[in-house]
Amino acid sequence: MHINWSALADTAGVSFVVTVAVVAAFALGVLALGRREAAVESGSGRGTAALAGAGVCFAACAAAVGYGLTLIAA
């Protein structure tokens, strides 16, 4: 049995980077929702922009999860 260590390291590196990116996108989405709540309470008009930003972040997370599931299923 031969283990291709460089391919294993590449896979581990890519999965680490993608994991950090998905977690960061989710955290930014939660932060945007918090900013939306603060904007709604203060009465400023930035609530819809924060909601749109949160939607983009959560959509990116969902796309990454969906892509991962298609890779597992294929």
Side-chain angles (χ1 to χ4, degrees), residues 3-38:
I3 297 174
N4 188 351
W5 291 105
S6 64
L8 181 63
D10 288 345
T11 303
V14 167
S15 64
F16 178 75
V17 169
V18 169
T19 300
V20 169
V22 169
V23 168
F26 189 82
L28 286 173
V30 170
L31 177 67
L33 285 179
R35 297 263 170 108
R36 179 188 180 273
E37 291 295 324

Side-chain angles (χ1 to χ4, degrees), residues 33-48 50-51:
L33 285 179
R35 297 263 170 108
R36 179 188 180 273
E37 291 295 324
V40 167
E41 287 178 4
S42 69
S44 67
R46 297 184 217 256
T48 56
L51 185 61

